[in-house]
Amino acid sequence: MQTGSFPATRLRRLRQHEWLRRAVAETSLSPADLVWPLFVHGHAASEPVPSLPGVSRLSVESAVRAAAEAASLGIPAVAIFPVTDPADKTDDGRHALDPDNLACRAVRAIRQELADGIGVVCDVALDPYTTHGHDGLLRDGRILNDETVDVLCRQAVVLAEAGCQIVAPSDMMDGRVGRIRAALDGAGHRDVCILSYAAKYASAFYGPFRDAVGSRASLGTAAALGVGDKKTYQMDPANALEAIREVALDVAEGADMVMVKPAITSLDIIHRVKREFGLPTFAYQVSGEYAMIKAAAANGWLDGEQAAIESLIVIKRAGADGILTYFAPEAARRLRG
Ligand code: PBG
């Protein structure tokens, strides 16, 4: 509506002051929205990951300290990613079932120290444990589905037994959520939550993560066998309707929460998933997303802190209830002032 030649509605009115912008902000970000991924290795000293500036592989003891720090910052959960000694990797990834593997040791140590003061999320997938770096069993150049799910069910129970409260199948095998739910229930772990990586794309943005856990080199050896990528199980970034079908199946099979991954390249998917299913929806701001911002900031090409917060806010605006992000501690510190 126009009054004379002046617009009656001036949207800039609400942008005049910092306090006013804060008062009308539609989206807020708090430490409670963040989950901090931690890499745990078997050595005493921390070891920086060159392609993830500010991120290190930690000993179990350091991971416990990081989890305590997360709790004190108001971050509700950490996600544990083991860096398996190559000597413990096999074709069938059987070390995933060892109750004394790094993931289980880290979970036990964190729960022992912090009890229910923090949540611990663990991936259910075989990639940290296989010589070929795939999330599932590899036979004759193919990733086996149902045979892999059998192993994942046992892995989920082993993690639950160690004290993990949230198992997160990140493997993208068909039918795994329902089978893992049944396995957990059958083993008496009815209260363990499933956060399924429901819509996980075959993405180039996982590169630095694969450096951190050592699966890039493993996948390199698999490339010689013609299976150097994960495109036969992770989704094609061209597809959105398929993401909805993936989520629908995982919800029907009993997922308590779902995840979309990567985050910034999937804002449309996060939005649709939240609107259509309405269940707790997480987004994983993956290693490559973090590394891009850090690299640009290191070159002085953008303000890294502002870019980090902006990226997290827009992921929430799209519909995410929570975000797995390597920025978690620095963002939480900044948000707490
Ligand atoms: C393994 C897994 C991956 C990530 C989380 N779990 C890598 C992959 O699928 O190859 C990526 C996370 C990141 O890039 O930060 N199933």
Side-chain angles (χ1 to χ4, degrees), residues 199-233:
K200 176 172 179 178
Y201 288 97
S203 171
F205 291 97
Y206 307 154
F209 173 99
R210 293 179 186 167
D211 290 336
V213 299
S215 63
R216 192 202 288 267
S218 310
L219 278 172
T221 62
L225 306 169
V227 277
D229 63 52
K230 301 191 177 185
K231 292 179 183 171
T232 67
Y233 45 107

Side-chain angles (χ1 to χ4, degrees), residues 119-299:
V120 185
V121 182
C122 286
D123 258 34
V124 178
L126 300 182
D127 57 300
Y129 306 105
T130 50
T131 39
H132 44 74
H134 280 290
D135 295 29
L137 301 171
L138 175 65
R139 193 175 305 151
D140 302 329
R142 289 168 52 90
I143 305 299
L144 306 178
N145 194 89
D146 299 8
E147 293 83 346
T148 296
V149 175
D150 289 338
V151 185
L152 298 178
C153 287
R154 294 167 61 197
Q155 182 185 20
V157 170
V158 167
L159 290 166
E161 234 110 77
C164 172
Q165 308 108 318
I166 301 179
V167 293
S170 71
D171 56 290
M172 291 297 282
M173 296 300 121
D174 288 320
R176 88 277 207 218
V177 171
R179 298 254 339 262
I180 288 172
R181 182 72 270 161
L184 288 170
D185 291 353
H189 297 293
R190 292 183 195 91
D191 293 332
V192 169
C193 301
I194 298 180
L195 163 61
S196 89
Y197 285 70
K200 176 172 179 178
Y201 288 97
S203 171
F205 291 97
Y206 307 154
F209 173 99
R210 293 179 186 167
D211 290 336
V213 299
S215 63
R216 192 202 288 267
S218 310
L219 278 172
T221 62
L225 306 169
V227 277
D229 63 52
K230 301 191 177 185
K231 292 179 183 171
T232 67
Y233 45 107
Q234 298 179 349
M235 285 181 48
D236 182 344
N239 299 349
L241 293 172
E242 189 189 352
I244 301 304
R245 297 180 72 196
E246 280 285 2
V247 175
L249 282 169
D250 286 4
V251 172
E253 290 175 30
D256 301 287
M257 302 171 272
V258 292
M259 187 160 17
V260 175
K261 177 187 172 189
I264 290 287
T265 55
S266 317
L267 296 178
D268 57 330
I269 308 299
I270 296 168
H271 185 73
R272 287 162 80 159
V273 166
K274 182 63 188 191
R275 200 172 49 189
E276 288 199 30
F277 300 94
L279 83 170
T281 303
F282 285 73
Y284 199 142
Q285 181 179 52
V286 299
S287 55
E289 299 179 66
Y290 171 90
M292 283 195 296
I293 294 176
K294 284 290 183 188
N299 277 294

Side-chain angles (χ1 to χ4, degrees), residues 281-323:
T281 303
F282 285 73
Y284 199 142
Q285 181 179 52
V286 299
S287 55
E289 299 179 66
Y290 171 90
M292 283 195 296
I293 294 176
K294 284 290 183 188
N299 277 294
W301 294 339
L302 49 71
D303 180 322
E305 280 194 15
Q306 279 185 36
I309 296 290
E310 179 181 331
S311 66
L312 295 168
I313 282 276
V314 303
I315 294 165
K316 273 207 80 186
R317 188 192 67 208
D321 298 289
I323 307 165

